[in-house]
Amino acid sequence: QVQLVESGGGLVQAGGSLRLSCAASGRTFSGYAMGWFRQAPGKERDFVAGISWSGGNTYYADSVKGRFTISRDNAKNTVYLQMNSLKPEDTAVYYCAKRRNFGATTAQTMGARYEYDYWGQGTQVTVSS
């Protein structure tokens, strides 16, 4: 079992920044890629960003490229999502997730929800205009 706990969400004005954290405990997430997803009310849960185990490969949804940065600290079992230049359309519940399998990462596999087996409870991000 892996437990994932997100934190860092909140209310921010458009143009502001937030940094989300995802702390993993229990069975280690060592060796696994991680991802961030978000879900707005009435919408699907969509991929936001992903990162390989080493951190050497990162992936982003087109809507957040250039504004969001994913990173990880494996010594702390923590994954981060730095969100800058926030827009009202970024408002959603943000979830982190652990990839199901080892192996090479690709943009296609990192963006698919079925590739992930453990999810956090989510943290609310609200961006006011």
Side-chain angles (χ1 to χ4, degrees):
Q1 287 282 347
V2 173
Q3 291 79 43
L4 302 174
V5 179
E6 303 94 337
S7 62
L11 173 64
V12 64
Q13 289 188 332
S17 298
L18 283 174
R19 188 195 195 202
L20 305 184
S21 298
C22 172
S25 61
R27 179 183 170 190
T28 182
F29 77 168
S30 175
Y32 293 95
M34 298 289 291
W36 283 97
F37 288 73
R38 68 186 180 187
Q39 188 168 18
K43 295 190 176 181
E44 296 282 321
R45 188 172 298 189
D46 292 330
F47 173 75
V48 174
I51 188 167
S52 61
W53 158 244
S54 69
N57 293 305
T58 57
Y59 309 86
Y60 298 95
D62 288 343
S63 59
V64 307
K65 279 180 183 175
R67 300 188 298 122
F68 290 12
T69 302
I70 188 171
S71 61
R72 66 190 297 164
D73 184 338
N74 290 334
K76 295 182 178 179
N77 284 351
T78 302
V79 179
Y80 305 98
L81 185 67
Q82 178 67 44
M83 306 186 295
N84 298 330
S85 302
L86 283 161
K87 305 175 181 180
E89 51 264 44
D90 294 318
T91 295
V93 177
Y94 283 70
Y95 300 88
C96 70
K98 169 193 155 297
R99 191 171 178 229
R100 184 182 307 276
N101 297 314
F102 289 112
T105 56
T106 66
Q108 182 177 9
T109 59
M110 291 296 289
R113 282 179 293 175
Y114 64 79
E115 288 282 342
Y116 298 84
D117 56 356
Y118 288 96
W119 297 79
Q121 83 291 347
T123 185
Q124 176 71 47
V125 171
T126 303
V127 184
S128 64
S129 57

